[in-house]
Amino acid sequence: MFWDGTMATNFSVFSKTLMDEYLSWDPVYSTQLGWHKYDKSMRDVSRQAVEQQAIRCTQLIDELKKFPLDSLTPDERVDRALAEHILRLWLYEVRELKMHERVSSAATDIGNALFPLMVREHPTFDERLDAIIARLESVPQFLERSRTALRAPNRVWNEEALEAGKEMPALLRGVEALVVSKPLTTDRRERLTKAMKTAAEELEKHNAWLKNTVIPRASPRYALTPSEYASYLSMKGYGVNPDEALRIGEVYLDLAKRRMRETVREILPGGDLTKALEMMKSDRPRTFEEAFNEYKDAVKRCREFVIKGNLLTVPSGEDLVVLETPEFMRPIIPFQTQLEPGKFDTSRTGLFLVTPTGDNVELLKEHAFSTIANSAVHEGYPGHHIQSICSRSNPSYIRALCFSPDFLEGWALYVENLMLQQGFNSTPMGRLANLNDMIYRIVRLIAEIKLSKGFLTLDSAAELFRRECGTEITSAKVEARSCAMFPAYYSAYLIGRLAILQLREEVQSAMAEKYSLKAFHDLLLNSGCMPVKFMRDAVAVRLKEQYGVDMPPRKESLYQYAMRRAKSGNP
């Protein structure tokens, strides 16, 4: 039963009720969290439903304010502020940016609705299959509502939506493969067969509608105006404005390129970057089987290095299993990906999926030894896998709703450099791979900001990737479109990493002789996955409770910190 607007007996009761209602609006995210109450539902994207949810958001914000700060624990004060942030950000997206009126992301939504039910082991197979059937049966209505919501379509966003729609037949074949050997009742098999057939037909019609009706009349300009983008970046809570973010990107790109030139000279006396990168990519497994085994070994070595180096507390019961990407998933996962269990599921086992290269030997260049090691750090230990397991162990219901890109991606980028500094994969080739990946993330930030300001077109953004990263032109165009598709996401990598480094410096200063990397990382990881500004507040609470240490007031902005750090010459 949802919150009825009356005062709860305590904040914890209200938090759980708020979480439940919020997840009822987004059943797909609910499934991803392992909150299986809404596994048979799809999001209602109709304008009427969205407006009703917006009204509820406003009411919930008012209810939050009824809890006096002095009646809450320190952690609950963080949660109250975070809950208001989440609700205000959601309101901004639906009432000001009106994302749902600009892109029909229905195919992606359907894919996301089915995917976790197909690949996870919780709940039971029968329960997951019933949810899959129910969601497939709701596809026609869901697509119709998605079409009626679209009022001001953006061309780039809907072109990408169409590409996602073209991938759906492979996912539906995956559903078929999932149940082919299962002993289903006649009724369930008939329902599944009918639902899949109808869903495929309706998706084909939807794709045709996007192609023939929506895209020809869609706006060709960048999806958000410069002022909308600036406001969105501010609402995200990253702590910088677009001008500051762009300046940081440009300065750190110069630093990374300078460091890369120094590294190349260690590899080749002539310092030829193109040849050095080719050497790095050529130092690779000769077969996919060898590459697959190298991923398993790299994940194992990363884990052992983290434990031996005492970098953080590895949670008990966790595991990261390296598997070949299932065949039905390969069209949408070209190289590798990482999947984590839901917060409310009992499992602590993550999956690291690696896609076979088939007969295409050239694809093995994407699995060079140095890049495999860096991927194992970024995705596994101590990257996304450890971050996810730790943050999901936090008992807060409010924090379950938040996986902020600046901490999520910032942490993964932060640990790439951390592990290198600690001696993992610190050969010249390892450092070259690390810097190459760093430059790639910085260029994403620059492209995102310049696209938002109108300084770049998609073609000139693609040229930026080609020039600065050596990206092949087709892939460069894909990168440029991604930067346009997901405003305020790709900027999160570098900005989030710098925010974590700034927080680390502050914690080290406050803890003095009590400080260690492990202490800082444990304080941080077990606080959740919030915007770093909220992580700072949560870390301050833990710092006081566990060490009796007060976090001092912040002395400089993130931009000021980034510029001061840049003077050290360390990207």
Side-chain angles (χ1 to χ4, degrees), residues 407-480:
F407 182 69
L408 182 72
E409 300 297 358
W411 170 260
L413 188 57
Y414 162 81
V415 296
E416 286 183 26
N417 193 248
L418 171 77
M419 290 284 278
L420 195 72
Q421 290 174 340
Q422 296 296 311
F424 184 81
N425 196 33
S426 60
T427 64
M429 281 297 186
R431 282 184 275 124
L432 182 64
N434 179 274
L435 285 164
N436 193 49
D437 285 349
M438 174 68 76
I439 287 173
Y440 182 61
R441 273 58 168 268
I442 295 172
V443 171
R444 277 178 160 181
L445 177 147
I446 293 172
E448 178 186 301
I449 303 292
K450 287 191 171 183
L451 280 165
S452 76
K453 287 178 166 291
F455 295 168
L456 290 178
T457 63
L458 285 175
D459 286 340
S460 56
E463 174 58 24
L464 178 68
F465 279 101
R466 191 202 63 76
R467 184 177 68 251
E468 298 292 356
C469 305
T471 311
E472 182 269 328
I473 192 61
T474 301
S475 297
K477 288 181 177 180
V478 171
E479 283 298 327

Side-chain angles (χ1 to χ4, degrees), residues 72-114:
L72 304 176
T73 67
D75 271 322
E76 287 174 341
R77 290 172 201 160
V78 175
D79 282 359
R80 196 190 89 156
L82 178 65
E84 185 171 348
H85 164 81
I86 292 168
L87 294 171
R88 290 195 184 280
L89 180 61
W90 192 91
L91 275 173
Y92 184 76
E93 289 176 341
V94 301
R95 278 193 167 166
E96 302 298 327
L97 298 184
K98 299 182 179 180
M99 300 288 203
H100 58 293
E101 296 185 7
R102 301 189 189 199
V103 59
S104 178
S105 59
T108 299
D109 290 341
I110 293 168
N112 290 338
L114 300 177

Side-chain angles (χ1 to χ4, degrees), residues 372-388:
I372 286 176
N374 210 39
S375 294
V377 169
H378 185 101
E379 304 291 355
Y381 300 91
H384 286 315
H385 169 66
I386 286 296
Q387 181 274 324
S388 176

Side-chain angles (χ1 to χ4, degrees), residues 220-231:
R221 70 171 179 83
Y222 184 76
L224 305 184
T225 66
S227 62
E228 285 176 333
Y229 178 83
S231 295

Side-chain angles (χ1 to χ4, degrees), residues 267-335:
I267 297 170
L268 287 172
D272 188 314
L273 174 59
T274 302
K275 287 184 179 179
L277 289 172
E278 185 57 35
M279 286 176 62
M280 182 189 76
K281 291 183 177 182
S282 297
D283 183 26
R284 59 173 175 80
R286 299 301 150 189
T287 65
F288 174 74
E289 182 181 8
E290 186 183 349
F292 182 72
N293 289 332
E294 180 64 21
Y295 274 103
K296 291 197 290 186
D297 184 62
V299 166
K300 181 181 178 181
R301 286 188 286 112
C302 284
R303 189 178 189 277
E304 291 173 350
F305 189 92
V306 167
I307 294 172
K308 185 176 180 180
N310 214 25
L311 296 181
L312 52 83
T313 301
V314 175
S316 62
E318 66 73 34
D319 194 12
L320 182 62
V321 180
V322 182
L323 299 171
E324 288 189 18
T325 306
E327 190 169 352
F328 72 87
M329 295 165 60
R330 294 174 190 176
I332 56 176
I333 302 173
F335 302 117

Side-chain angles (χ1 to χ4, degrees), residues 18-140:
L18 186 154
M19 182 199 75
D20 182 75
E21 181 163 4
Y22 189 93
L23 292 179
S24 75
W25 305 341
D26 192 350
V28 172
Y29 186 43
S30 180
T31 298
Q32 291 170 349
L33 283 178
W35 191 258
H36 296 295
K37 185 174 178 179
Y38 304 107
D39 280 358
K40 295 182 179 182
S41 304
M42 291 287 290
R43 186 164 59 103
D44 188 344
V45 294
S46 66
R47 290 197 296 272
Q48 181 181 9
V50 170
E51 180 54 29
Q52 288 174 345
Q53 291 160 12
I55 292 170
R56 287 293 296 132
C57 262
T58 303
Q59 293 170 347
L60 289 168
I61 290 170
D62 289 339
E63 293 297 335
L64 280 166
K65 294 177 180 177
K66 293 181 181 179
F67 289 93
L69 290 177
D70 60 6
S71 72
L72 304 176
T73 67
D75 271 322
E76 287 174 341
R77 290 172 201 160
V78 175
D79 282 359
R80 196 190 89 156
L82 178 65
E84 185 171 348
H85 164 81
I86 292 168
L87 294 171
R88 290 195 184 280
L89 180 61
W90 192 91
L91 275 173
Y92 184 76
E93 289 176 341
V94 301
R95 278 193 167 166
E96 302 298 327
L97 298 184
K98 299 182 179 180
M99 300 288 203
H100 58 293
E101 296 185 7
R102 301 189 189 199
V103 59
S104 178
S105 59
T108 299
D109 290 341
I110 293 168
N112 290 338
L114 300 177
F115 191 73
L117 295 169
M118 294 166 66
V119 299
R120 288 182 178 167
E121 296 183 354
H122 299 277
T124 67
F125 172 79
D126 283 342
E127 289 172 315
R128 287 184 288 120
L129 180 58
D130 284 342
I132 288 171
I133 293 171
R135 284 182 168 172
L136 283 170
E137 289 175 336
S138 68
V139 163

